[in-house]
Amino acid sequence: MSTSPQAHLYATARTPFGRFGGALAKTRPDDLAAGVLRAALERTRLEGGEVDEVVLGNANGAGEDNRNVARMASLLAGLPVSVPGTSVNRLCGSSLDAAMLGSRSIETGDADIVLTGGVESMTRAPWVLPKPERAFPAANAELVSTTLGWRLVNPRMPAEWTVSLGESNEQLQEIHRVPRERQDAFAARSHQLAHAAWEAGFYDDLVVGVEGADVTRDEGIRPDASPESLGALRPSFRPDGTITAGNASPLSDGASAVLLGSAAAADRIGLDPLARIAGRGTHAVEPHRFGYAPVEAAEKALARAGIAWSDIGVVELNEAFAVQSLVCVDAWLARGLSDPEVVNTRGGAIALGHPLGASGGRVLGTLAAAMRADGHRWGLAAICIGVGQGLAVVLENEDAA
């Protein structure tokens, strides 16, 4: 193993993920983020001033999460003013990117302890009103929602790039021939596994409450979901389409935190590492093919970790849509992944929710916990990203080596 510093994951925390307009709707995103930062630190014996940097992901940043939400949240969490903070925007991959950036800081020796994560309140994302190009316009102006997807599009962008996320995935299913029935079955599995994981206590130590909010579990889980019940839903993006509200991730609110540190920081942190960051991968494709981007991102992460798909015991793939998840899994199976059932063994975003800036931290924390619970040495977290990108991280559970 390299003698240069290695980045390890020591602690994670996340809120329950709330429905759009649900139990977390009255909580500001900077307060959501502050809560999980505090929770992650409380799991250690660290003083806040021992954190070298706070790095948080956030996809929208147009409302109460503006003005560098990482800095705002760290101050609200009670960290000393001397602890710097920076916010990362790689849309849906923002908090996974935050962890990747934090791990690089540790590996280069720039930091020993980095507190990462992300936050999104899609409920509280504001409408924006563009400034007029000339003073005193006579025409009406239109408010634009910042909740999700393209807005204020540059007219120079090719039209095929700027179709809706749903239409992009309808095109993906046409290319890869993923029928509606298969998508609904995948979505039902997500709900059933998420419910079973909560019932078994898997998420009890990963999820922390939110002050002032009466919610203890992810709000979107439907234990009674079945391929038949999901099959009765109408298509959302095309009259004859395959994508529905049931086989796509919902609009959500939530926050996640991941504490990273060097091996030398273990005594100060007061915990043994949960996993080592063993490989990272980033990939980009045409903007409207974003759902496929995790395929090559994962290949890069595996190569940098020096392992193959046959070594991977568990995968956490963010389920933006059932169709893009299935397309990625199919591609990985063709490249050596052992079994599709190793993917999202405790449910995924279709059931748990997808608060954009928080989801990367959620998949990374769930991956580390699943690897330890099931005794796997190697695991992979991956996420697709709007405008045609994907990220992946390989973790090693050194206790299983």
Side-chain angles (χ1 to χ4, degrees):
M1 183 175 292
S2 171
T3 58
S4 62
Q6 300 286 302
H8 295 80
L9 190 159
Y10 281 91
T12 71
R14 72 170 176 90
T15 67
F17 284 176
R19 292 177 183 267
F20 186 87
L24 300 184
K26 294 183 179 180
T27 307
R28 290 174 56 112
D30 46 3
D31 286 328
L32 288 173
V36 293
L37 295 183
R38 280 194 300 268
L41 280 177
E42 287 169 357
R43 296 179 174 187
T44 74
R45 61 182 179 212
L46 289 170
E47 298 293 332
E50 295 179 270
V51 174
D52 294 309
E53 182 92 39
V54 174
V55 186
L56 289 186
N58 179 240
N60 283 325
E64 296 157 337
D65 44 8
N66 78 91
R67 194 95 178 139
N68 187 359
V69 70
R71 178 64 171 165
M72 298 297 107
S74 64
L75 294 172
L76 290 166
L79 273 71
V81 297
S82 58
V83 177
T86 187
S87 298
V88 178
N89 185 349
R90 206 192 284 254
L91 299 180
C92 302
S94 295
S95 53
L96 193 58
D97 206 17
M100 293 166 74
L101 291 169
S103 66
R104 291 188 190 105
S105 292
I106 291 165
E107 290 170 7
T108 60
D110 287 346
D112 257 350
I113 299 169
V114 183
L115 189 49
T116 75
V119 64
E120 210 77 52
S121 176
M122 299 180 79
T123 298
R124 298 176 75 90
W127 296 294
V128 296
L129 184 66
K131 286 185 176 179
E133 295 185 6
R134 300 176 60 185
F136 313 117
N140 293 331
E142 182 181 3
L143 289 170
V144 178
S145 173
T146 65
T147 298
L148 179 69
W150 292 90
R151 80 285 306 236
L152 305 178
V153 179
N154 190 317
R156 295 176 58 214
M157 281 281 187
E160 64 269 21
W161 286 0
T162 62
V163 296
S164 72
L165 304 180
E167 173 58 26
S168 293
N169 277 272
E170 288 287 9
Q171 294 179 18
L172 196 66
Q173 74 84 19
E174 286 181 330
I175 294 169
H176 295 275
R177 301 180 184 275
V178 182
R180 165 77 184 269
E181 294 76 16
R182 193 173 173 214
Q183 296 177 50
D184 289 340
F186 182 87
R189 172 185 182 269
S190 183
H191 285 282
Q192 292 159 8
L193 290 177
H195 176 68
W198 268 110
E199 290 296 297
F202 175 83
Y203 285 115
D204 290 353
D205 293 335
L206 300 181
V207 176
V208 297
V210 176
E211 185 177 353
D214 185 19
V215 61
T216 58
R217 291 190 177 189
D218 304 299
E219 282 193 290
I221 300 171
R222 291 180 283 176
D224 59 348
S226 67
E228 293 74 25
S229 65
L230 296 177
L233 298 176
R234 294 181 178 180
S236 298
F237 302 99
R238 296 180 180 180
D240 59 347
T242 64
I243 297 172
T244 72
N247 58 34
S249 61
L251 305 180
S252 308
D253 306 329
S256 63
V258 176
L259 180 75
L260 302 175
S262 66
D267 287 343
R268 281 191 292 150
I269 294 170
L271 298 170
D272 292 328
L274 297 173
R276 179 178 71 91
I277 306 285
R280 297 172 294 258
T282 307
H283 190 68
V285 295
E286 291 177 293
H288 58 310
R289 301 290 182 248
F290 71 92
Y292 192 77
V295 172
E296 295 301 331
E299 294 292 328
K300 293 177 180 178
L302 291 170
R304 287 164 185 160
I307 63 170
W309 274 113
S310 57
D311 297 306
I312 292 292
V314 62
V315 174
E316 275 292 320
L317 171 64
N318 192 61
E319 298 168 355
F321 294 82
V323 61
Q324 63 83 207
S325 299
L326 287 164
V327 166
C328 289
V329 173
D330 287 348
W332 293 333
L333 288 168
R335 299 175 188 213
L337 178 66
S338 62
D339 184 350
E341 294 303 313
V342 307
V343 179
N344 297 352
T345 57
R346 271 72 179 187
I350 289 172
L352 301 171
H354 180 20
L356 309 177
S359 288
R362 195 272 302 170
V363 297
L364 198 61
T366 303
L367 176 66
M371 290 169 65
R372 297 190 72 82
D374 299 338
H376 296 300
R377 179 178 178 183
W378 298 102
L380 181 134
I383 195 164
C384 70
I385 302 166
V387 202
Q389 297 189 85
L391 296 178
V393 170
V394 170
L395 293 184
E396 181 186 15
N397 172 13
E398 294 174 296
D399 289 343

